[in-house]
């Protein structure tokens, strides 16, 4: 039986996943590890590529390669790891593991090589190879949710499908027109919508669970009609930003979505969660969502001299980078049998990614910013390679066995 099989949901017990190593026993294991390693390495290489001292063999311009591989390399890997781990909990079915999981990993790796060497194989071939991964992920997720009749969670396939379509658009737009403005925004919008949807579910839930045990008092407000309004306005605002990033309508919608998401965050009682860093970082990560929306809104309205790139990095480095690390650390601890506690190394990882986001946002406002860009890139790399060092062993080794409680002398076991 695979390493995590005895810890599967009840409905999946008794089914065997084959004799595979622990890293292929659950989706989070290979994709969190490979995704974090890749995130650290591509940003480490980014500034030399931008300056021309390091060269890719890609048809993408340097900025397009950087954005594409951050979103469709790293973020796609983390989304996959999260979904393949969450879906068995939703459906009670066996997780994707063993050979099917290995196929997905190889598709992801093939996409990375295809994009890097697209000038050699052609952009159409690179697009087909690269997009095959997200297509397989969306199909696998939909198949498992439908087979488990878990209709309520089928909606998470929609942003994944949009993410896939934005990848297709990215290749077509860059291949035919030499740039990727629309696809770039669509990819970021799809990732932010996923954070609004999934974050709106896990943040108040994890916060409530901790407070009930450790800090009785005011609790997060459960999902209700207000959250549906926030989600609707956020989707409309991000769609408007994707198509028309400047103008009155987009600006007003973005600012409204930013204020609504900020109000939503205050309803989750994050101010009372400071003692649990695993919970607190989720609130900090979500704070970058309204920050990005408001910055995008001000840029669209041409107010306060806000550059559009500030919003891009509030979303990318802040909301996406911080939230993915927060989810990866928590999920890795929980699914490998560790205590849900953020040790010093984990807290340093959190500090590095939050500082990377803040520095990069500030750099957007600075005419002379090369030093800040290097600092932000260094902090990002430190956060993700730090995750690999601290959590890599957990992801590669089997789940810890529960500790046995010793019986007092004379009492039968």
């Amino acid at each position: 039986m695979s390493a995590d099989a005895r810890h599967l949901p009840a409905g999946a017990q008794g089914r065997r996943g084959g004799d595979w190593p622990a890293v292929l026993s659950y989706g989070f294991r290979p994709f969190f590890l490979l995704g974090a390693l890749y995130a650290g390495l591509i940003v480490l290489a980014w500034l030399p590529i931008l300056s021309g001292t390091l060269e890719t063999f890609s048809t993408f311009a340097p900025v397009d390669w950087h954005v594409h591989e951050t979103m469709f390399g790293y973020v796609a890997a983390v989304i996959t790891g999260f979904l393949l781990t969450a879906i068995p909990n939703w459906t009670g079915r066996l997780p994707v593991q063993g050979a099917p999981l290995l196929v997905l990993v190889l598709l992801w790796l093939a996409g990375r090589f295809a994009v890097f060497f697209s000038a050699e194989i052609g952009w159409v071939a690179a697009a087909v190879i690269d997009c095959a991964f997200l297509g397989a992920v969306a199909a696998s997720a939909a198949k498992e949710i439908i087979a488990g009749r878990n209709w309520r969670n089928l909606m998470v396939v929609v942003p994944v499908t949009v993410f896939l379509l934005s990848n297709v658009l990215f290749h077509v737009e860059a291949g035919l027109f030499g740039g990727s403005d629309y696809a770039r925004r669509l990819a970021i919008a799809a990732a932010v919508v996923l954070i609004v949807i999934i974050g709106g579910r896990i943040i108040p839930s994890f916060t409530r669970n901790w407070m009930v045990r450790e800090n009785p008092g005011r609790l997060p407000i459960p999902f209700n009609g207000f959250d549906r309004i926030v989600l609707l306005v956020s989707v409309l605002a991000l769609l408007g930003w994707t198509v028309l990033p400047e103008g009155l309508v987009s600006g007003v919608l973005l600012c409204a979505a930013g204020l609504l998401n900020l109000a939503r965050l205050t309803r989750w009682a994050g101010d009372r969660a400071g003692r649990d860093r695993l919970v607190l970082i989720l609130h900090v990560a979500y704070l970058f969502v309204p920050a990005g929306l408001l910055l995008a809104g001000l840029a669209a309205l041409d107010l306060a001299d806000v550059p559009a790139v500030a919003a891009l990095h509030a979303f990318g480095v802040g909301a996406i980078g911080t939230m993915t690390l927060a989810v990866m650390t928590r999920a890795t601890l929980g699914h490998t049998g560790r205590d849900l506690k953020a040790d010093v190394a984990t807290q340093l990882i959190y500090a590095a990614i939050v500082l990377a986001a803040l520095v990069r946002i500030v750099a957007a406002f600075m005419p002379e910013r090369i030093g800040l860009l290097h600092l932000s890139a260094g902090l990002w790399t430190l956060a993700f390679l730090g995750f690999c060092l601290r959590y890599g062993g957990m992801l590669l080794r089997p789940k810890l066995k529960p500790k046995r409680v010793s019986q007092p002398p004379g009492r039968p076991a």
Side-chain angles (χ1 to χ4, degrees), residues 337-411:
R338 273 78 179 180
D339 292 335
L340 288 177
K341 293 182 180 179
D343 60 9
V344 173
T346 302
Q347 293 182 56
L348 289 174
I349 290 169
Y350 293 162
I353 190 61
V354 171
L355 286 173
L358 294 175
V359 170
R360 188 60 187 87
I361 293 169
V362 170
F365 292 86
M366 300 296 179
E368 299 293 333
R369 56 175 179 257
I370 189 65
L372 292 176
L373 293 180
H374 280 283
L375 177 58
S376 179
L379 288 166
W380 170 283
T381 301
L382 179 63
F384 284 96
L385 296 188
F387 173 87
C388 294
L389 289 173
R390 179 67 187 92
Y391 288 85
M394 303 180 198
L395 294 168
L396 292 171
R397 292 193 294 268
K399 183 173 182 176
L400 293 179
K401 295 180 180 180
K403 295 179 181 179
R404 294 185 63 183
V405 179
S406 59
Q407 297 292 334
R411 179 174 297 179

Side-chain angles (χ1 to χ4, degrees), residues 262-278:
L262 188 61
R264 187 190 197 199
L265 182 60
T266 64
R267 290 155 51 92
W268 295 339
D271 56 296
R272 304 185 60 244
R275 287 191 286 119
D276 188 334
R277 301 297 191 269
L278 290 176

Side-chain angles (χ1 to χ4, degrees), residues 15 17 36 40-41 98-99 122 146 174 220 241 249 252 309 336 354-355 367:
R15 298 171 61 187
L41 293 179
I146 292 171
W241 176 70
V249 175
V252 170
V309 72
T336 61
V354 171
L355 286 173

